[in-house]
Amino acid sequence: MSLEDKLSKIRLSPKLENQQHTAVVLAAVDDTLREQNSQPTPTAYFAALLSLLGQHVDADASDNRHLTYSVVYLLDLVISHVPSPLLRSKFPQILSSLASPLTRADAEAPTLRASIGCLESLLVRQDSQAWQLSVNQTSPRGALTALLHLALDRRPKVRKRAHDALLKVLQNPPPSPSLGHPATDMCAEFALTSLQGVAEAAGKQKKYHGQQDEQSKIPEIVHAMQLVRTVATASPGWPGRNVESLCELLLKIARSSNEHLALNVFDVFEALFSGMANAESSQRLPRLIEVIEELQPSRNDSQLLPPWVAVLSRAYDVSAQISPEDTFQKLPGVMARISTFLDSPSHNVRVSASECLISLLHNCIPASVVLEPSISDEKTLERIADTSMYLLSVKYQSAWMEVFKVLSSTFEALRWRSAPFFLPIIKTIGDLRSNDAFAGKKEADAVISRAIYAVGPDSVLEVLPLNLVKPASGQPGRAWLLPLLRDAVHHARLSHFRSELVPISEMMFQKVLNHGSAEKSVEIKIFETLVNQVWSCFPGYCNLPLDLIDAFDQEFAELVSNLLYQQTELRVALCRALQNLVESNQALLSLGDEDISLAQNRVSKADAQKNIDHMGTFAGNMLAVLFNVYSQTLPQYRGPILTCVNAYLSITPAGELTDTLSKVMGMLDNSIAEEAQKTASTRAPKSNDKIPPTSHTLMDLLVVLSTHLAPPSLSSLLSLATSILTSPTSDPALKKKAYKFVPRIASSTSLSPLLTSNSTALQHMMLNSATHVLAQTRRDRLIALKEIIHRLPDEDLWFIAAVLPEVVLAAKEVNERAREAGFDVLITMGERMFKGGVVRTGKVPGLGGHEEQITNTDANMHIDEQSEQQIIGKERDVPASLDEYMTMLSAGLAGSSPHTIAATITSLSRVLFSFHSRISAPTLNDLLDTIFLFLSSSLNREIVRSTLGFTKVAIVVLPRNMMGERLNTLVPALCKWAKEQKERLKMKVKGILERMARIWGMENVERWTPEEQRKLVGNIRKVRERRKRRKEQGKAGLGDESDEMDAEEGHTTGRRKKFESEFDEAIYGSDEDEEESDEGEQDAGSGKKGRKGRMERQAYIHEDEDEPLDLLDRKALGNISTTKPLRTRQPSAQRTRAKTDLDGKLMLGDSDSDEDEVQTFDDAGNVEAKLREGEESLEAGINAYVSAIRGKDAGQRGQKGKLKFKQKDGEDEDEMEIDAEDLTTARKRKPAPKEGRGKPHTMQGGSRKAGKGNIAKRAQRPGLGEGKMKYSGVGKKRGDRGGPRTGSR
């Protein structure tokens, strides 16, 4: 940015006070320059400002505070544009003028930051001669000393600005023979001296005053270390003569228990090493490493040793970047030195040592050692192997868990070069793993898995044989290796699988066959498991094998094919293996030379191409086998087979693909004809347990074939799809699969252009099949439409108008995935119309009078033809645009059914949300006026619900003035529907009003609210005020009773519901206020609270009072809920309940009679159970009801319709029979109601509902028949009672 641009920004109307003062000073300088007839050059500005600073700098600071800042701020802007010779020649005078703002004790931070900027520009412009001057007040070194002091200032912004200036000065040295800046040594000495002084002061305070006073010096130590880091970053490495004292001081500080200091120490070392990671300063790195090694702390120092190890690890990391070969030769010695710390009693020391070894192995082993090692490299590897083997001795047994991690990293770093040097380590760990008493089996498995991954399964099984076929005496079986092989094998030799594992599988399977059809014993099940585990290793062997051409021959291909036919449980592993043979080589060919990993270097790209060519010779036969196996497999298990078919189709020659396509299509035609002859009654119902029809299988294969076909074959495929889609008798599943051709072809980069060239055929296919669309095929049809519309030519945009009615109605689909697909098509149509073109409405079926028309017989599929003619017009060409697209969409607003109108409004909402910024204002105004007319005049809830969603989107995305001018009509129309309790319209209206209040203010919303709805607006205002009050109280750390009440009811603030898309959030989302409502909105009739507490990130445990919840039980999750459990309502003590005797007579007044002879009713008229001691009433009633109808003591009908009840008396059990005739007699003998005592209610039909009473308990009484239990009122609703209820409450 030029100087004039900077000054122009200041001259504009500034807002802050200091900016206004700066603008006044700049205006005064401009006036002075005009009066003196001086040109407004940077030099003129600089001279005027410098003179102004000299005149007012010695005045009272309180009066000239703003003036000083403004002048220095302008100087900071101007000085970088002043010529360098002027700044060099006038350096003493300029520095003298800046000295006062820099050295004043009461200088403010803004003034200091601007002064530092001036000083930075001055020092950068000085030449080497000026830097040779001694340190004084008018020399560059003196100014740099002042800058160093400011870098230790207590104010963060001043300190940060000083660090930036110091960094820029040191990184821009004057032209001279030396590489670094002349003042680097001075800065390093000042930084080191400052750090030493602060560290010594902190040590003295700790010694004499304790730990608390030492903490007060920590900020000063941190500031000094930040200065050291800045100097180390700016200069190419730290000056050599100070590096020893610096490292010693930093390691001493690292011993502090303060983690912040330790992190800053590591930052300083990181800056040191980063500065030495280049050719210019790399010669200082060996000396730095020597110093760090000489400063090795005591082996028992658990505080200083971990940071020292970490620093040493980082040092060798930088060394490996500069000289990898030399660092690798030093690696055995460094590893031996670090390994000695693994026997430390401190766990932190052992962990630090292991992490250091892991870092050394990953960073200090170059790729050349793995690819082409020299003789010296192999000797170094032997030494590393000896050191690693020594770590498995008893001496380091306490650190074996850490040692195992180091060994895993060793195999990962050396890859296949680990063999044969590290094979003894594998054998040792395998022997430990075979010991049942060994506790580190999991860690040992990790090491062996990494070894299998690195050196291959053949080398590992050479030292750790499986011993499953003919185990030698004293050699344990190692079946536990098979799962490790399954997960770790890759880039192996396929011949090893054939020679070692296939014979094991054959022997085990033969034992299973010899067992015959008898019941399987444990041994037979073990053999079957071993067979499955062996073949589960096969996919790993097929992942870029090293000997594919030699190992995969005709004999092995036949073996795999037979297993695919015969062993259904092995099909997944076999298909994945065959797929890996192709895709792993294809993946290698698709990589660039720089992207090939170290492991993939064992197979070159030329070898990968040869492997693919070799597998291509088996592709035809393998596809035939896979097709047959696919047709014999249940639908839920076909996925892996289809994926494998796709892989082999990609390597099949084009001629064979064409032949395969013709064969499959011929078979499909025959199968469709055969299935069409069957009647609907003979067709088997759809089930996943039965093989699908042949036509379904062939269609699946054609869908996979479609992405590999040659361009001439596409026409025949489209004709087949058209015949299926236009047939009224075709199977819905076939139609669904036929639509999948289009997106499958679109996913192929090579075949995707064919959709554009065949666009006309695709359009006719979709239009001709429009009258035969089924609900099951809707989503796939919409996905196909999206791909076709995306590739429409400019002259075929009439197709959008032709299919637009169908897409609009998809916005109201019940199926969510179909609805989302419809929205995607709407957006694709808008994007295509935005690109431009011509809409020839004369070609639209139903508008242009063509023979090929689609009749609008289905009211649920098409919008009124007449309404669309009125808006779009007839036989006219219209330029494509978003405005025209909105006009086409608006045709649905004149539809004949509410469903069509609602779908159109929803579609307009989605399009408006995506393209609101690209639609013209007149179109938006017309659209708003039309939609809001439905809100005020329509009486259909479906239309209003869509209109409310449109209103919400419009408020969110449209300009405020456009919606604000419509508040006078919009608010009354919204309030009209605020009285509706159904369809949640009231909550939607309230959410919209709340959003309006937040945007345009509560006063504007309340101004246009009708009088009868002022209560709702008042509730909104009260909720907003409550939320504001709660937020203020939260900031103050206070709470009141209302907050506690809101917390109990589960209210949350600051949370927004997550939606899958922004459109869904705009339509269905609500403000934070919508989660709250007033207490006055509680429904008095239902007794339910109007607001629902929704606590997020809080869970409650529901448990019984008698028994605590067992959290280890799997069913415990069912007792954990985000809903706060309600307290059990205790019956009021003042409530007097009506009582009846056994004959059903009401008993009023107090009664001391036996409670076994009395039954009580609750408020609903249901019988209440008698409670035992400590039993809760609600739970007892529910449990009693369940046990009465389903329990083991419930009445059951035996022979001749008699009811039987079990009666327990001690340990004896008797059954009581009740005859049906006795029941009838008992019902007839019900006592007549007495006048003034209430009227008992007759129970119809002998219902078994029993309310809350424990009828099972009464049913067990001797002599109590069902006739006495079927008293009035049981199982009846309150409104169905036969007479008034009496009795006191």
Side-chain angles (χ1 to χ4, degrees), residues 1033-1093:
Q1033 291 172 350
K1035 291 181 180 179
L1038 300 176
D1040 56 9
E1041 296 179 358
S1042 63
D1043 294 336
E1044 295 175 0
M1045 177 185 65
D1046 291 340
E1048 290 179 359
E1049 293 180 359
H1051 289 272
T1052 58
T1053 57
R1055 183 178 66 88
R1056 187 176 296 274
K1057 187 177 180 180
K1058 300 297 185 293
F1059 296 92
E1060 294 183 357
S1061 65
E1062 295 180 359
F1063 175 72
D1064 289 343
E1065 184 175 357
I1067 287 288
Y1068 306 111
S1070 61
D1071 298 338
E1072 295 173 345
D1073 298 339
E1074 292 180 27
E1075 298 177 4
E1076 300 179 356
S1077 61
D1078 187 46
E1079 292 177 332
E1081 291 187 359
Q1082 296 178 1
D1083 190 349
S1086 61
K1088 296 181 180 179
K1089 294 184 178 180
R1091 52 179 162 181
K1092 300 179 181 179

Side-chain angles (χ1 to χ4, degrees), residues 116-128:
I116 291 172
C118 298
L119 198 59
E120 172 191 326
S121 300
L122 275 175
L123 294 176
V124 169
R125 304 290 187 88
Q126 302 307 307
D127 54 11
S128 56

Side-chain angles (χ1 to χ4, degrees), residues 1203-1270:
L1203 284 173
K1204 294 183 178 181
F1205 292 93
K1206 289 185 178 180
Q1207 177 180 355
K1208 291 186 178 181
D1209 200 2
E1211 296 182 356
D1212 299 330
E1213 293 187 2
D1214 298 330
E1215 290 189 356
M1216 178 177 60
E1217 295 187 359
I1218 300 178
D1219 190 59
E1221 296 180 359
D1222 298 337
L1223 290 176
T1224 306
T1225 305
R1227 291 192 184 102
K1228 293 180 179 179
R1229 293 175 55 189
K1230 281 188 178 180
K1234 295 184 179 180
E1235 192 172 355
R1237 290 294 187 99
K1239 186 176 181 180
H1241 309 295
T1242 305
M1243 187 170 196
Q1244 300 176 359
S1247 174
R1248 295 189 180 186
K1249 295 183 180 180
K1252 301 182 180 180
N1254 192 345
I1255 62 174
K1257 179 178 177 182
R1258 298 186 177 90
Q1260 296 171 5
R1261 294 176 186 152
L1264 182 60
E1266 185 174 345
K1268 294 187 177 181
M1269 289 191 293
K1270 301 297 181 178

Side-chain angles (χ1 to χ4, degrees), residues 1165-1190:
N1166 296 325
V1167 178
E1168 281 199 340
K1170 294 301 174 183
L1171 305 179
R1172 296 187 295 269
E1173 278 187 281
E1175 188 176 15
E1176 295 291 338
S1177 61
L1178 290 175
E1179 296 176 348
I1182 296 171
N1183 295 337
Y1185 173 71
V1186 173
S1187 85
I1189 62 174
R1190 296 184 180 179

Side-chain angles (χ1 to χ4, degrees), residues 68-84:
T68 303
Y69 167 73
S70 300
V71 173
V72 176
Y73 177 77
L74 292 173
L75 274 174
D76 187 16
L77 294 180
V78 173
I79 195 170
S80 59
H81 300 273
V82 177
S84 299

